[in-house]
Amino acid sequence: MQTHSRFSRVLRHLLGAVLLGAGLGTAQAAYPDRTITLISPFSAGGDADLAARSFAAAAAKVLGQPVVVLNKTGASGVIGSAQAIAAPPDGYTLLLARTGSQAIMPAIMPGTTKYKWDDYTFIGTLELNPYGCVVNAKSPYRTFGDLVQEIKSRGKSLNYGTAGVLTTNDMGPRQLFRLLKLTDQTPTQIPYKGTGETVTSLLAGETEFSCGSLGPFLSQIKAGALRALIVTTEQRIAELPDVPTARELGYAEMEAVVGWSAIFGPPGLPEEVTAKLVAAMQAIDKDPKWRAMTAQTGSIPHVMSPQETREFTRKQYELYRSLGEMLNIIDAKK
């Protein structure tokens, strides 16, 4: 009996050790241990896509796992953003957050967007995108003043391309039309699925001007195919030293319109996963290659903490909510 009892105790200890080891193995499974999907809610070739792919390449090196970009387009970024919210909170689905999908849409279309600006786990901002207005190099509008005069005189018969309704490509011109005290006689918007298509439309002469983050336009501006007329940054940007600022031209209120990219996660992301991603963001911020790639797209590296990112997003949301109220375009319908 004693032998049997000793055997039972030994067996229990062994079994307990095996179960404890299995539990520890599960608890200590390092994140990440498989591919991460980064949802980019706008089409390939635009500023969101460029930011997503630059981040994915840098993050894969830091995290030691592939980061795959999934372009999930539609509804001004809402479809991809909603998919990110619905994803399991395990860190394997992230969102390339943008001004339009994370600040403008929740502010202007709260009834149909279905998510709020703060429904996410904030990880960090990536970059700021200098904003401006661009025309085809063959356009008769050689200065911003020329374009403004044409906007005032032609009204609806003048068109402009955007990456979709209620993106920065749309809200920037709305702010301009407000400053020009235009009412219903505003140019006609031609919405596309992303900034890449907007650039193509300008090059093809299908649209007459576009306002947006300058990154996707930059190579064509430098090649002489497109012409930038204004930038909304406080100072002229190094890549386009001859292009005047909004403040120089008397439109200082346009400075509030700026593009940006950030990394958000689904709500309820575990603290340890968030911490790992925040550390990765800090490492990426110090990566010379990522910073160079970001600068090449015309953007400014701008990594902030989760708390700073939340506050920045809140201010952007409030900006567009205020603009929407002034323009009477808020749609709260369910």
Side-chain angles (χ1 to χ4, degrees), residues 53-100:
R53 294 184 189 281
S54 294
F55 171 79
K61 289 192 300 181
V62 174
L63 294 170
Q65 293 291 338
V67 179
V68 177
V69 176
L70 173 64
N71 294 99
K72 194 71 176 180
T73 64
S76 298
V78 169
I79 291 176
S81 299
Q83 182 174 327
I85 286 181
D90 55 13
Y92 290 99
T93 301
L94 303 174
L95 175 69
L96 192 286
R98 293 290 295 173
T99 323

Side-chain angles (χ1 to χ4, degrees), residues 135-166:
V135 296
N136 191 297
K138 298 177 181 177
S139 167
Y141 319 131
R142 304 200 63 81
T143 68
F144 189 66
D146 293 340
L147 178 61
V148 166
Q149 186 58 44
E150 201 71 1
I151 288 172
K152 289 180 176 179
S153 63
R154 286 183 54 191
K156 290 182 181 297
S157 67
L158 188 71
N159 68 39
Y160 65 103
T162 74
V165 176
L166 300 180

